[in-house]
């Protein structure tokens, strides 16, 4: 796969018919969250947003979509990257919620990224709001006759 796209669903009012969204009862500073999300774009070491037990030698990820779609009673966080680390999206959402509630400033994202320390980022958001939306493969994979050369096999 060359990229993956996730969404994380937030709801601001309790709704029994939407069990797969994280209920957030607080008023959020949407502008601050948008500003913080923009700082996650690009290539960064996401060690601070990764579960400690799953760290690798290289924790760099290239994010090319990172934004919120806001509604009156809900929001959807969209993120697309070439790869994701374990719990990365949920840790990003938890940190962005800290920004939205005023616990952290939007500018804190830069120092969290450079710290490469999981304890510097926010809590892990619950799994119930997370959805894998798309896995993107090279165009060659759409061709049923495509056979990777021996050097391309994992």
């Amino acid at each position: 796969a060359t990229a993956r796209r996730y969404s994380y669903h937030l709801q601001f009012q309790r709704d029994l018919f939407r069990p797969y969204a994280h209920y957030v009862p607080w008023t959020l500073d949407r502008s601050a969250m948008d500003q913080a999300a923009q700082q996650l774009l690009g290539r960064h070491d996401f060690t601070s947003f990764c579960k400690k037990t799953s760290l690798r030698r290289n924790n760099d990820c290239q994010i090319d979509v990172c934004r919120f779609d806001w509604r009156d009673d809900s929001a959807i966080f969209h993120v697309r990257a070439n790869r994701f680390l374990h719990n990365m999206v949920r840790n990003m959402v938890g940190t962005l919620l800290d920004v939205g509630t005023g616990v952290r400033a939007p500018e804190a994202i830069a120092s969290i990224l450079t710290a490469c320390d999981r304890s510097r980022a926010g809590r892990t958001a619950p799994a119930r709001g997370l959805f894998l939306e798309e896995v993107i493969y090279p165009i060659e994979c759409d061709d049923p006759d495509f056979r990777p050369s021996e050097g391309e096999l994992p």
Side-chain angles (χ1 to χ4, degrees):
T2 58
R4 293 139 186 90
R5 183 172 53 88
Y6 283 91
S7 66
Y8 193 93
H9 296 243
L10 303 170
Q11 65 184 37
F12 308 129
Q13 298 173 355
R14 289 219 184 263
D15 185 346
L16 296 174
F17 299 104
R18 291 186 61 202
Y20 302 111
H22 176 40
Y23 171 62
V24 178
W26 318 285
T27 301
L28 298 174
D29 182 340
R30 296 174 180 199
S31 176
M33 291 176 75
D34 288 338
Q35 183 183 348
Q38 290 300 300
Q39 294 180 48
L40 294 167
L41 286 168
R43 180 172 293 281
H44 303 284
D45 182 328
F46 281 89
T47 298
S48 293
F49 293 94
C50 177
K51 186 175 181 180
K52 273 188 170 183
T53 57
S54 62
L55 289 174
R56 299 184 177 175
R57 275 184 290 211
N58 177 353
N59 294 303
D60 286 0
C61 302
Q62 174 73 38
I63 294 182
D64 61 354
V65 172
C66 191
R67 64 177 170 75
F68 284 93
D69 283 337
W70 297 101
R71 299 186 180 110
D72 290 339
D73 65 343
S74 63
I76 301 174
F77 175 66
H78 299 277
V79 61
R80 183 177 65 202
N82 65 330
R83 65 184 269 212
F84 288 91
L85 307 173
H86 195 234
N87 284 353
M88 181 174 149
V89 176
R90 292 171 54 205
N91 293 335
M92 289 166 59
V93 170
T95 304
L96 292 169
L97 286 171
D98 282 352
V99 171
T101 57
V103 172
R104 298 173 194 273
E107 301 79 26
I109 298 297
S111 64
I112 293 169
L113 285 166
T114 58
C116 294
D117 179 357
R118 175 65 190 100
S119 68
R120 297 285 302 273
R123 288 177 282 156
T124 305
R128 70 179 156 268
L130 181 66
F131 293 87
L132 174 62
E133 298 280 350
E134 182 179 24
V135 179
I136 301 156
Y137 292 95
I139 192 87
E140 300 87 28
C141 292
D142 287 340
D143 179 358
D145 296 325
F146 173 72
R147 300 288 182 260
S149 64
E150 186 128 350
E152 294 176 319
L153 294 174

